[in-house]
Amino acid sequence: MDLDPRPQDAVDLLGRVVRSCRRRRRAWKIADSTGAELSGVEVLARALVLRRLLRRLAIEADEQYVAVLLPPTAAAAVVNLALALDRRTIVNLNYSLSPELLNACIAQAGVQHVVTSRKFVERLGGCPGAEMVYLEDLRAAPTLLDKMIAAVQAAVLPAGLLLRMLGLHRAGADDVMSVLFTSGTTGEPKGVRLTYANVAHNVTAAEAVIHLRSSDVLIGVLPFFHAFGATVTLWTVLATNVAAAYHTNPLEARAIGRLCRERRGTILLATPSFLRGYLKRCPAEDLASLEVIATGAEKLSGALSDTCEATLGIRPVEGYGATETAPMVAANVPPSRALGDPAISAREGTVGRPVPGVRVKVVDPETGAEVGPGQPGILWVTGPNVMKGYLNRPEATADVLREGWYVTGDVVIVDDDGFIRIVGRASRFAKIGGEMVPFARVEEALAELLGTDDEGGPLAVVTAVPDPVAGERLVMVHAPLPCTPAEVCRGLAASGLPRLFLPSPADFCEVDRLPTVGIGKVDLRRVDELAKTGALPRGRETASVLR
């Protein structure tokens, strides 16, 4: 699929949403595990009614940033569409953050109102620092006139006229549609400003990679505060002729399996950690309708791919992206959806080739020079997917945006065919005795040696602390292990790791469980804090134990 080189604006994107909803006038468009089921026209009509109610009862005309605090459900999809049709900048809040970080995100965006559910806020255990607009309080608010106007707008008015009436023709391609906050795994969350052009490009790129069909049903488990969840499981579903079934918690494997079976899901997008849980806890027949399984956010191991293929007859594919790229940068095309030779549509051990419209280059971190195929360096990305910048953070923006290129901070190797292999993050290396030691390489060996926890996640994560002799030294932050630190070190040595890659038994820091963020990834910032707190001076024979 060739992408339109012209940046797509609000009318382009939301015009696609309107036409997509009308194509599924009678067929269901979105559903969720609560039993909600809405046809395309019902989705559009409810969003238009909610838009009127929010303007009349809650949100001032000059409020630009409006937050949403909801798990992935049909209601959350309608709320997002209502705010988009009102030309608001949508801020889907990460409800897995601590109250302090959540309120920091609200303050950064200057949010005055948060659209949420009273039941969901009660489950979270408290309200963030902004005025709450509860959906339950709006149920009885629509008048007959509200419903009649929305019904005519949703089903009758030409899409272009409807969007003009709503003022969306005044929103340009470079205007900010959404702010998503980074996960905070490596630092304070930053608000990423994504434009209409960013989101529209990702919708079209997702179509080009997966080759969506009108019979597809996407199982939506990723939260809308995550870039993959927002762009693919929300806006790609709304803007294309596919359906989606949502579940509120990606960790509830059995409920997700039932949802997939009942809705005949064909596409599952998940992190490898979530996928492990589904394969372990769901009967194979629950997932038997799946045709495409795509993963991101973490490395997809060959062992997990083997298990998935043995269980379901599907080999998952891996993609790569970042919140700052809305998120798609590269992807392997699922062989079942490849238009050309399936043998060259995907390459295991890589995150695929750049999606249409995106260009990449690999830069030597020391010299700043571009390197050739097969050489490691920092991945730079440019294209219509690159963010406008961080919210109110000009210095942080300048650090990562260089003349239209986004500096990912990931060390990669691109092969002769354009497939990208992730080596690790630049920040996830230690310099020991003048040599660069990648944490990911040691973690792969640890996973082979130790296996995973009950959720399929890692038992140990590697970081580094300063060392007066070697410059830095490795520290293993780990959950309870099936063997002693000394046995782990002997196993790593036997695996063939270079001597510099081997930790000392004294540098094992045990925790009850590894800290994670909302999408299941390990919270690397917290891991670093634990290592600095718990690492022992050289010469001690026992590992630090943090409780």
Side-chain angles (χ1 to χ4, degrees), residues 202 205 209 226-228 232 294-299 317-332 350-355 358-361 377-381 385 406-412 414 419-426 521:
N202 265 254
V209 170
H226 184 260
F228 206 1
V232 181
T295 69
E298 307 167 45
K299 181 177 175 58
V317 294
E318 187 174 5
Y320 166 80
T323 308
E324 291 85 348
T325 57
M328 294 180 68
V329 171
N332 284 291
T350 77
V351 293
R353 290 184 284 198
V355 299
V358 171
R359 290 190 297 128
V360 303
K361 64 181 179 180
I378 303 294
L379 182 69
W380 290 35
V381 179
N385 59 330
Y406 169 59
V407 183
T408 67
D410 288 316
V411 180
V412 306
V414 179
F419 285 91
I420 301 169
R421 181 166 65 86
I422 306 294
V423 177
R425 283 200 64 79
K521 289 198 300 185

Side-chain angles (χ1 to χ4, degrees), residues 57-387:
L57 301 176
I59 301 172
E60 299 295 332
D62 61 351
E63 282 186 51
Q64 188 57 47
Y65 296 94
V66 179
V68 181
L69 187 67
L70 291 167
T73 55
V78 168
V79 169
N80 274 265
L81 181 54
L83 293 173
L85 291 172
D86 202 28
R87 250 188 91 191
R88 310 288 181 168
T89 299
I90 308 161
V91 184
N92 277 287
L93 293 172
N94 183 346
Y95 41 80
S96 71
L97 294 176
S98 67
E100 294 76 19
L101 286 178
L102 193 61
N103 284 323
C105 294
I106 288 172
Q108 279 187 53
V111 166
Q112 299 177 51
H113 289 91
V114 177
V115 183
T116 187
S117 154
R118 182 173 278 104
K119 186 179 297 185
F120 186 61
V121 169
E122 289 172 357
R123 278 173 49 194
L124 291 179
C127 296
E131 187 172 346
M132 300 292 102
V133 179
Y134 294 112
L135 293 177
E136 294 92 337
D137 297 343
L138 300 178
R139 284 177 183 163
T143 65
L144 180 60
L145 182 61
D146 289 326
K147 296 176 182 178
M148 290 176 61
I149 290 174
V152 171
Q153 290 176 326
V156 178
L157 284 184
L161 178 58
L162 170 60
L163 297 179
R164 179 168 286 273
M165 287 177 59
L166 299 178
L168 287 157
H169 62 289
R170 295 192 292 272
D174 198 42
D175 286 351
V176 179
M177 178 184 181
S178 173
V179 171
L180 295 176
F181 283 89
T182 57
S183 63
T185 58
T186 57
E188 290 291 325
K190 296 184 288 289
V192 175
R193 296 184 297 160
L194 299 178
T195 67
Y196 290 97
N198 295 153
V199 176
H201 171 268
N202 265 254
V203 169
T204 309
E207 281 189 288
V209 170
I210 303 177
H211 302 123
L212 297 171
R213 303 166 180 166
S214 59
S215 58
D216 277 329
V217 175
L218 187 146
I219 302 300
V221 299
L222 296 176
F224 295 162
F225 62 70
H226 184 260
F228 206 1
T231 300
V232 181
T233 63
L234 174 61
W235 291 112
T236 297
V237 166
L238 291 177
T240 61
N241 191 23
V242 301
Y246 298 114
H247 184 69
T248 56
N249 187 343
L251 296 175
E252 294 175 350
R254 292 186 178 87
I256 291 164
R258 287 194 299 271
L259 182 68
C260 185
R261 183 185 69 243
E262 292 166 359
R263 292 291 172 178
R264 303 294 299 166
T266 60
I267 300 172
L268 175 66
L269 308 176
T271 67
S273 293
F274 294 159
L275 179 58
R276 285 189 194 95
Y278 306 155
L279 294 175
K280 184 175 182 179
R281 292 176 173 78
C282 296
E285 53 268 26
D286 282 0
L287 307 176
S289 59
L290 290 174
E291 299 174 14
V292 173
I293 299 176
T295 69
E298 307 167 45
K299 181 177 175 58
L300 174 64
S301 69
L304 178 58
S305 296
D306 292 342
T307 300
C308 188
E309 186 173 32
T311 304
L312 302 177
I314 305 170
R315 203 149 184 94
V317 294
E318 187 174 5
Y320 166 80
T323 308
E324 291 85 348
T325 57
M328 294 180 68
V329 171
N332 284 291
V333 176
S336 64
R337 300 295 176 99
L339 298 182
D341 182 356
I344 60 172
S345 66
R347 184 163 295 172
E348 290 210 18
T350 77
V351 293
R353 290 184 284 198
V355 299
V358 171
R359 290 190 297 128
V360 303
K361 64 181 179 180
V362 181
V363 174
D364 185 295
E366 301 292 334
T367 67
E370 186 172 354
V371 302
Q375 299 299 311
I378 303 294
L379 182 69
W380 290 35
V381 179
T382 191
N385 59 330
V386 174
M387 68 171 179

Side-chain angles (χ1 to χ4, degrees), residues 18-25 41 153-159:
V18 172
R19 290 187 291 273
S20 165
C21 287
R22 287 176 175 172
R23 279 196 296 271
R24 300 182 77 95
R25 186 176 299 268
V41 167
Q153 290 176 326
V156 178
L157 284 184

Side-chain angles (χ1 to χ4, degrees), residues 8-16 84 87 163 168-169 171-173 196-197:
Q8 299 176 69
D9 59 18
V11 170
D12 294 318
L13 176 60
L14 295 175
R16 291 190 65 183
R87 250 188 91 191
L163 297 179
L168 287 157
H169 62 289
Y196 290 97

